[in-house]
């Protein structure tokens, strides 16, 4: 807290994960910025570009933390000291440490205390000792966006009047020169975690089916995914693999009628620009916490597959059935429904074939059809932090 409570604090929000995690923190960041004189965001290298796109952020600080990420940096006394010195020089009054439900905020909270941040809040199931001034407990089954907003509210920060709490970024650039002016559907086949994406062959078949149904398909991907996007685009779709940074990808997604994407950062980027999402959602993490937020979307994928709740990085089942088993007819029905703003009929997979038209309602509970939470499994190849 500041010595003079009438002076808005200098605030720091910590979210050290990927670009998608940073985008989901956006509404909470706006709430903090509304009640602060200066708001900085501390994030990891993978989230920095997304952080610079968030409204309300005055400065983005970057630290490659050794306790997060798929390939974490080694622990370094020099890097740690540099971070502590950087934070100390900015004299933050308050800090919020945002973490996912399975992560601990305490390593970051310790460094904040060493940097002289007087007041820190976080969700924590672990006993924090003297590291947290507000130890908050997240509600069960809470979506990551709402959990972050809950913490911000508990810390005394609220969204301004008229802010609906949706995901939001700065206006993206016009990318018509890349996509052309005609209507299109985006297919983003890749994901940082292989278990969360279609196989290349399955994505290629979906691209061909969409094209055959009359949709103009634009295939997107990062610089390391050019071979994947070329295979998926074939001769019938526009291949933009490797030609868009995060800002340009936001522009491409903003111009799309619908985006077909796995549970990965671009799905949340699509939501942040208001584009409906056909979500190819592998159940390795709970959909109730990570599904696209605040936009019309359809969840496809067997949410009761054997990998459910394990945070597995690689599918343990031959043929990747939870995602590759999704039929072309289901994909086409979902794209058609979202592009024409009509509901999707239920089928045999009732939990995963429903059109969720979720709004950013702060008291939103879990979907009545959502499966209950499952503890981490013992499969090899899980994301870091999962029990083995």
């Amino acid at each position: 807290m500041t010595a003079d409570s009438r002076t808005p604090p200098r605030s720091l929000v910590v979210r050290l994960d990927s670009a998608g995690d940073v985008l989901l923190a956006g509404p909470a960041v706006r709430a903090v910025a509304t009640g602060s004189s200066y708001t900085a965001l501390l994030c990891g290298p993978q989230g920095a570009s997304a952080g610079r796109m968030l409204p309300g952020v005055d400065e983005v600080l970057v630290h490659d933390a050794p306790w997060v990420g798929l390939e974490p940096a080694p622990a370094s006394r020099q890097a740690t000291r540099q971070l502590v010195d950087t934070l100390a020089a900015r004299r933050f009054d308050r800090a919020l440490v945002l973490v996912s439900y399975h992560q601990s905020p305490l390593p970051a909270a310790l460094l904040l205390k060493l940097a002289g941040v007087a007041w820190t809040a976080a969700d924590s199931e672990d006993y924090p000792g003297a590291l947290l001034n507000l130890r908050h407990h997240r509600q069960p089954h809470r979506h990551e966006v709402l959990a972050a907003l809950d913490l911000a509210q508990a810390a005394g920060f609220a969204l301004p009047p008229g802010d609906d709490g949706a995901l939001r970024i700065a206006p993206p650039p016009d990318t018509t020169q890349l996509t052309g002016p005609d209507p299109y559907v985006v297919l983003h086949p890749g994901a940082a975690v292989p278990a969360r994406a279609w196989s290349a062959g399955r994505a290629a078949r979906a691209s061909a089916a969409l094209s055959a149904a009359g949709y103009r398909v634009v295939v997107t991907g990062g610089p390391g995914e050019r071979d994947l996007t070329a295979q998926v685009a074939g001769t019938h779709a526009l291949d933009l693999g490797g030609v868009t940074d995060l800002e340009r990808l936001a522009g491409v997604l903003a111009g799309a009628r619908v985006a077909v994407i796995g549970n990965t950062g671009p799905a949340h980027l699509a939501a942040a620009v208001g584009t409906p999402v056909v979500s190819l959602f592998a159940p390795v993490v709970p959909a109730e916490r990570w599904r696209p937020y605040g936009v019309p979307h359809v969840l496809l994928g067997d949410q009761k597959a054997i990998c459910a709740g394990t945070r597995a990085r690689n599918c343990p089942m031959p043929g990747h059935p939870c995602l590759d088993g999704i039929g072309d007819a289901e994909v086409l029905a979902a794209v058609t429904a979202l592009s024409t703003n009509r509901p999707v009929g239920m089928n045999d997979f009732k939990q995963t074939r429903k059109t969720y038209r979720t709004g950013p309602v702060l008291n939103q509970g879990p979907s009545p059809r959502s499966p209950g939470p499952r503890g981490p499994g013992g499969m090899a190849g899980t994301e870091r932090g999962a029990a083995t």
Side-chain angles (χ1 to χ4, degrees), residues 128-385:
L131 299 182
L132 295 179
N133 300 87
L134 172 61
R135 179 192 182 189
H136 187 257
H137 294 278
R138 85 167 51 201
Q139 296 181 36
H141 316 299
R142 202 70 160 150
H143 194 284
E144 291 293 309
V145 172
L146 297 175
L149 279 169
D150 290 343
L151 176 62
Q153 184 175 15
F157 297 108
L159 288 166
D163 190 327
D164 61 2
L167 302 189
R168 192 172 302 151
I169 59 170
D174 183 353
T175 53
T176 305
Q177 74 279 8
L178 293 176
T179 63
D182 295 330
Y184 59 90
V185 169
V186 163
L187 175 56
H188 188 92
V193 177
R196 301 187 190 183
W198 266 334
S199 67
R202 178 66 193 91
R205 292 194 300 274
S207 174
L210 286 165
S211 296
Y215 291 100
R216 191 165 76 92
V217 179
V218 173
V219 181
T220 56
E225 296 175 319
R226 287 190 175 97
D227 290 343
L228 171 63
T229 60
Q231 178 179 347
V232 173
T235 59
H236 49 265
L238 176 62
D239 180 9
L240 293 184
V243 302
T244 57
D245 58 12
L246 199 65
E247 279 190 306
R248 289 188 182 90
L249 178 58
V252 171
L253 290 167
R257 298 169 67 185
V258 177
V260 182
I261 312 178
N263 177 28
T264 187
H268 304 305
L269 189 61
V273 296
T275 297
V277 178
V278 176
S279 178
L280 310 171
F281 205 101
V284 291
V285 295
E288 64 187 0
R289 294 186 171 107
W290 295 103
R291 68 193 187 198
Y293 184 79
V295 293
H297 62 281
V298 178
L299 289 178
L300 299 180
D302 181 3
Q303 300 303 292
K304 290 187 175 181
I306 192 172
C307 62
T310 62
R311 298 198 292 277
R313 294 183 60 187
N314 296 290
C315 179
M317 295 294 292
H320 198 16
C322 74
L323 292 187
D324 279 12
I326 298 168
D328 288 338
E330 297 174 82
V331 178
L332 291 171
V335 170
T336 300
L338 291 176
S339 61
T340 58
N341 196 33
R342 63 179 176 81
V344 177
M346 306 297 284
N347 63 20
D348 291 340
F349 296 94
K350 294 183 179 181
Q351 290 149 317
T352 61
R353 307 295 197 256
K354 179 178 178 181
T355 298
Y356 291 95
R357 299 194 178 275
T358 56
V361 182
L362 295 187
N363 63 353
Q364 176 183 338
S367 163
R369 295 186 181 270
S370 296
R374 303 185 185 214
M379 295 180 183
T382 56
E383 294 182 35
R384 289 186 180 269

